[in-house]
Amino acid sequence: MLVHWEGVPMSLVGSDPDLSVLGLPESLDEVDAAGLGEVVVQARRAGALMEWHRLRAMAEVFERLVAPFMDSDQRVYDAHARAANEIAMMVGRSQAGVETELMDAAHLFAGLPHVAQCLHDGVIGGGHIRTVIARTALVGGQEYAPLVDQELADALRRQGSWSLQRLRDVCDRIVFRHDPAAVRERRKAAEEGRRVWAENATDGMAILHASMTAENVRVAAARIDALASSVCESDPRRDGARRSDAVFALLSGELFECQCDRGDDCDATVPAPAMVQATEAQVIIHVITEAATLEEPEPEPEAAEAAVAESDSVDKSGPEPTTKRAYSPRHSGVGFMDGYGVISGDYVRELAQRTGAVIRALRS
């Protein structure tokens, strides 16, 4: 069990670190304008290095206190919860959040060591590494994991900026090349986990969240915009406020009205929420894919039977074989949704079957 940080002198906890060790100046008073940019770059690298050390320590906690009980279905959960609880009390975070981070850190250093080194070297930051971990969660334990790790690390070290969208797309493309089934499984899990939840904000406000498929978000957003934009130019609300009121009207069925003070001179034509038709809320989603992806993939019984036969032939007394997924060489395809990124072939076919979908051949 971890040891609480009780009895640590407050002077030690609150003491300022030696910034020179990280290559940072103690004061910015003597730094000129050009030097400030260098300080920003070095501080970013230092932050990435500190994040690497933090996650490395989390991975070590998992390795020492949780991994030894992995063969016991009951004790592994006890060990995991106990370790997370100790760290959560130290850093003032929820136990559930720390439990997830312990697993993420273990996945990073055990399955993606080259990517972890990119964090250590300041190539990427903490926000990037969380995206990488999330997009490669199903890679752990697979025989192709070292290839994904190396290819992703090579991509990260190429010159250029990394937005989270671009990073997600690169991760998906690399994983898909090695295991199309992983992308399909993640898509299925994400769709099954869609939900609606609310949280309180400050000053009497609250926030309503909803997760759904990307195309449904586009449709919902278009209806919201169509209703919100039906007011006249004298409506005093900001765009965000009008869209918020439009969401409530669409969900509750209450009347959405223009709030200008022009009276009978108001020229707004505001439809009832239930009457916001598709013609008023047109949605265009561009998806690029190969023609073969639109065809339903052939069933894969032969691949599954081969995997079962292989597992039966393995010497049960020897070490446990590397986890493998069974899928045929002819995978189900892949697509790219504009404004979103890489999507699986199953998702492409779902979009193609929606009412009103238009399929055109692109010629160079």
Side-chain angles (χ1 to χ4, degrees):
M1 179 177 290
L2 297 177
V3 180
H4 293 292
W5 285 357
E6 296 177 351
V8 178
M10 289 303 296
S11 59
L12 179 60
V13 175
S15 61
D16 293 331
D18 183 2
L19 296 180
S20 62
V21 176
L22 300 175
L24 298 171
E26 294 291 341
S27 173
L28 298 178
D29 295 341
E30 303 300 325
V31 180
D32 58 20
L36 289 175
E38 296 178 5
V39 173
V40 171
V41 172
Q42 185 59 32
R44 179 185 178 279
R45 290 175 178 170
L49 179 60
M50 292 301 98
E51 181 68 1
W52 180 90
H53 277 287
R54 188 182 71 84
L55 291 175
R56 185 70 190 89
M58 296 282 281
E60 191 67 19
V61 168
F62 186 91
E63 189 66 26
R64 295 185 188 183
L65 302 182
V66 182
F69 303 101
M70 293 298 287
D71 293 334
S72 172
D73 289 343
Q74 183 174 0
R75 294 195 65 186
V76 65
Y77 295 121
D78 293 341
H80 192 185
R82 186 166 60 249
N85 180 260
E86 292 286 346
I87 295 178
M89 288 190 294
M90 291 179 187
V91 299
R93 292 183 52 196
S94 70
Q95 178 175 324
V98 176
E99 286 182 5
T100 299
E101 199 162 36
L102 281 172
M103 296 291 291
D104 289 347
H107 167 60
L108 174 64
F109 286 93
L112 304 170
H114 291 93
V115 172
Q117 190 63 37
C118 290
L119 177 65
H120 177 279
D121 298 342
V123 176
I124 54 176
H128 295 106
I129 206 66
R130 285 187 286 275
T131 297
V132 172
I133 291 172
R135 307 309 289 186
T136 60
L138 295 177
V139 170
Q142 304 299 323
E143 60 182 4
Y144 57 82
L147 297 175
V148 170
D149 176 39
Q150 186 62 65
E151 290 177 22
L152 187 51
D154 292 342
L156 292 174
R157 291 186 181 276
R158 296 189 192 116
Q159 189 174 4
S161 60
W162 284 103
S163 67
L164 295 184
Q165 177 68 52
R166 182 186 174 210
L167 179 59
R168 186 181 69 178
D169 291 344
V170 168
C171 291
D172 287 352
R173 284 198 297 268
I174 292 175
V175 172
F176 192 89
R177 279 202 299 267
H178 294 280
D179 190 353
V183 177
R184 294 201 299 269
E185 290 177 18
R186 194 176 63 222
R187 152 75 175 167
K188 181 180 178 182
E191 188 172 10
E192 291 177 348
R194 64 190 185 278
R195 62 194 181 99
V196 174
W197 71 102
E199 62 178 288
N200 292 330
T202 57
D203 303 317
M205 301 296 290
I207 303 173
L208 179 66
H209 304 266
S211 61
M212 61 189 75
T213 60
E215 76 278 10
N216 282 350
V217 166
R218 296 281 190 91
V219 172
R223 292 197 67 192
I224 293 168
D225 289 340
L227 184 58
S229 62
S230 64
V231 299
C232 77
E233 295 182 355
S234 299
D235 188 285
R237 290 169 292 183
R238 295 181 178 180
D239 289 345
R242 282 191 290 107
R243 296 179 83 245
S244 174
D245 292 345
V247 170
F248 178 74
L250 289 168
L251 291 176
S252 66
E254 292 193 10
L255 186 64
F256 179 78
E257 297 180 307
C258 181
Q259 293 186 1
C260 72
D261 56 2
R262 298 169 60 194
D264 293 339
D265 294 331
C266 177
D267 56 358
T269 304
V270 181
M275 300 303 293
V276 181
Q277 302 297 329
T279 56
E280 299 169 296
Q282 293 184 358
V283 182
I284 299 177
I285 302 174
H286 294 286
V287 178
I288 300 174
T289 189
E290 295 178 343
T293 303
L294 298 176
E295 302 174 7
E296 284 293 334
E298 297 175 355
E300 305 170 350
E302 295 180 1
E305 291 172 3
V308 172
E310 181 180 350
S311 64
D312 291 340
S313 64
V314 173
D315 182 6
K316 303 299 183 180
S317 62
E320 212 173 290
T322 303
T323 303
K324 294 183 180 179
R325 289 193 183 90
Y327 61 91
S328 66
R330 181 191 174 189
H331 59 68
S332 66
V334 66
F336 187 89
M337 181 187 294
D338 182 39
Y340 182 82
V342 177
I343 60 176
S344 68
D346 295 328
Y347 195 0
V348 172
R349 287 184 290 277
E350 288 178 19
L351 293 174
Q353 293 170 3
R354 287 183 72 109
T355 302
V358 177
I359 302 174
R360 294 192 179 97
L362 298 179
R363 303 184 185 280
S364 57

